[in-house]
Amino acid sequence: MNAEFFITKNQEKFKHLLAEFIKFADYSETGQQIDETVNFLTSLLKQLLGAEVEIHHDMGGSPVIIATLSPGQEETYLFYGHYDVQTVGNISSWLTDPFELTEKDGRLYGRGTGDNKGQLMAQICGFY
């Protein structure tokens, strides 16, 4: 299956997963909804990819999630991405709800879509 077909076939599923991820107001400064986000990502990595997941709370800051796929295989892939966001600032400056994924003119908007939830979700979905 080529990449374009794969993406087209799964696009709605991937958008739905990103929308679920965007819903978390997981502020790095306050720790708000960090645990809920870690639970979401842990479940996603296990269910979507069959990953073995470890959570490390003792690293300073938000917990570190380590997911291992197909343990024992010769290939190793490493990717990194943070899952927390900065506060939204003045909410009245937003044209849409920052925690609701919105599509406009073929682009997706929501808190963290550009830094770094969108990239992290793309990486996870790439292993699907």
Side-chain angles (χ1 to χ4, degrees), residues 9-62:
K9 179 182 174 198
N10 292 288
Q11 185 172 20
E12 290 307 311
K13 177 179 188 154
F14 295 159
K15 278 187 194 177
H16 172 74
L17 292 173
L18 179 59
E20 291 299 308
F21 194 15
I22 294 298
K23 287 181 182 180
F24 295 102
D26 47 354
Y27 297 134
S28 55
E29 305 94 85
T30 65
Q32 176 181 324
Q33 291 198 320
I34 293 293
D35 290 338
E36 293 88 340
T37 305
V38 169
N39 291 340
F40 168 77
L41 289 170
T42 298
S43 178
L44 177 67
L45 290 162
K46 287 178 177 179
Q47 292 176 8
L48 186 70
L49 304 179
E52 293 180 18
V53 180
E54 300 173 30
I55 309 301
H56 296 271
H57 295 274
D58 55 353
M59 306 296 281
S62 297

Side-chain angles (χ1 to χ4, degrees), residues 49-108:
L49 304 179
E52 293 180 18
V53 180
E54 300 173 30
I55 309 301
H56 296 271
H57 295 274
D58 55 353
M59 306 296 281
S62 297
V64 173
I65 302 169
I66 298 176
T68 303
L69 307 174
S70 303
Q73 298 296 318
E74 291 183 25
E75 296 85 15
T76 300
Y77 302 94
L78 174 66
F79 66 93
Y80 165 82
H82 66 89
Y83 52 83
D84 54 351
V85 297
Q86 299 295 313
T87 59
V88 296
N90 184 352
I91 194 75
S92 65
S93 297
W94 285 77
L95 301 176
T96 60
D97 181 341
F99 298 103
E100 186 74 32
L101 188 66
T102 303
E103 186 169 0
K104 181 179 178 185
D105 299 326
R107 296 183 65 116
L108 298 173

Side-chain angles (χ1 to χ4, degrees), residues 18 21 24 26 83 85 111-112 115-121:
L18 179 59
F21 194 15
F24 295 102
D26 47 354
Y83 52 83
V85 297
R111 191 67 175 148
D115 181 19
N116 187 62
K117 290 182 177 185
Q119 176 183 329
L120 184 57
M121 188 57 67

